[in-house]
Amino acid sequence: MSGLKIFLDTHPEDPVLETTNADVITRELAAIGVQFERWESPVTLSPDDAPEVILEAYKPYLDELMGAKGAGSADVLKLTPDNPNAPALRQKFLSEHVHTEDEIRFFVHGRGHFVMHLHGRVYDALCEAGDLIAVPANVKHWFDAGEKPFFTALRVFTDTSGWVAHFTGDDIASKFPVA
Ligand SMILES: [Fe+2]
């Protein structure tokens, strides 16, 4: 189930808020400019479906979202535990970083944590199938899908070059390991 834990960035042990209520997650994240929505799947998709099938199934949602965001492209990223690049991919986004464009993801299958850090707080959003999250440009964050990552996510880009990670050099992510 989707969830949100909010911590003071000085207190990793002790969340000040913990919820699995989608309305509360949406409201708390909206307060920091992070968009969170749940989408009903238009069809039942299998993790084995080809990227084109997944993109086509979500086309009505994507067209609306991309129109609203002025986004130019979308693709499908699948990660499974048997992918030999999984550890390297995990490591790549596990430290606090920013991008020069919004990071927009929709989870078709599986799960992953987007963890945002701002205003002295850490927001650990567990995203699951059916969840859309849009982390604004320049908001400090990291991503972790654990040691055995399993997810299929739609990625929406305004400019793929903007998706390069700029690391802040802060080791805060290591103090907030996701469950
Ligand atoms: Fe990122």
Side-chain angles (χ1 to χ4, degrees), residues 93 97 99 103 141 163:
F93 299 109
H97 62 275
H99 307 283
E103 182 162 352
H141 67 278
W163 194 54

Side-chain angles (χ1 to χ4, degrees), residues 13-153:
E13 313 78 25
D14 223 3
V16 292
L17 182 144
E18 188 167 359
T19 184
T20 55
N21 180 312
D23 292 337
V24 177
I25 298 171
T26 300
R27 190 181 66 220
E28 292 291 334
L29 291 180
I32 56 165
V34 173
Q35 181 182 356
F36 179 88
E37 287 178 10
R38 293 201 39 89
W39 292 357
E40 292 299 323
S41 176
V43 293
T44 304
L45 292 162
S46 150
D48 299 326
D49 280 327
E52 309 78 67
V53 173
I54 295 171
L55 286 169
E56 185 59 30
Y58 282 97
K59 191 168 186 310
Y61 290 90
L62 281 172
D63 284 350
E64 188 179 335
L65 178 70
M66 291 168 76
K69 300 278 185 193
S73 63
D75 71 4
V76 175
L77 176 68
K78 290 188 191 194
L79 195 55
T80 50
D82 59 355
N83 184 321
N85 294 323
L89 285 168
R90 180 184 188 210
Q91 217 51 44
K92 194 170 172 187
F93 299 109
L94 202 49
S95 297
E96 186 181 81
H97 62 275
V98 297
H99 307 283
T100 56
E101 74 164 51
D102 298 359
E103 182 162 352
I104 306 168
R105 301 288 181 269
F106 173 77
F107 285 79
V108 179
H109 299 112
R111 50 163 43 193
H113 290 256
F114 272 95
V115 189
M116 282 66 67
H117 179 207
L118 70 174
H119 309 319
R121 293 185 171 213
V122 168
Y123 296 75
D124 174 3
L126 169 60
C127 298
E128 299 211 313
D131 292 343
L132 170 83
I133 190 164
V135 181
N138 301 313
V139 167
K140 293 185 276 188
H141 67 278
W142 56 95
F143 176 77
D144 192 9
E147 286 180 1
K148 294 197 162 97
F150 173 79
F151 65 84
T152 305

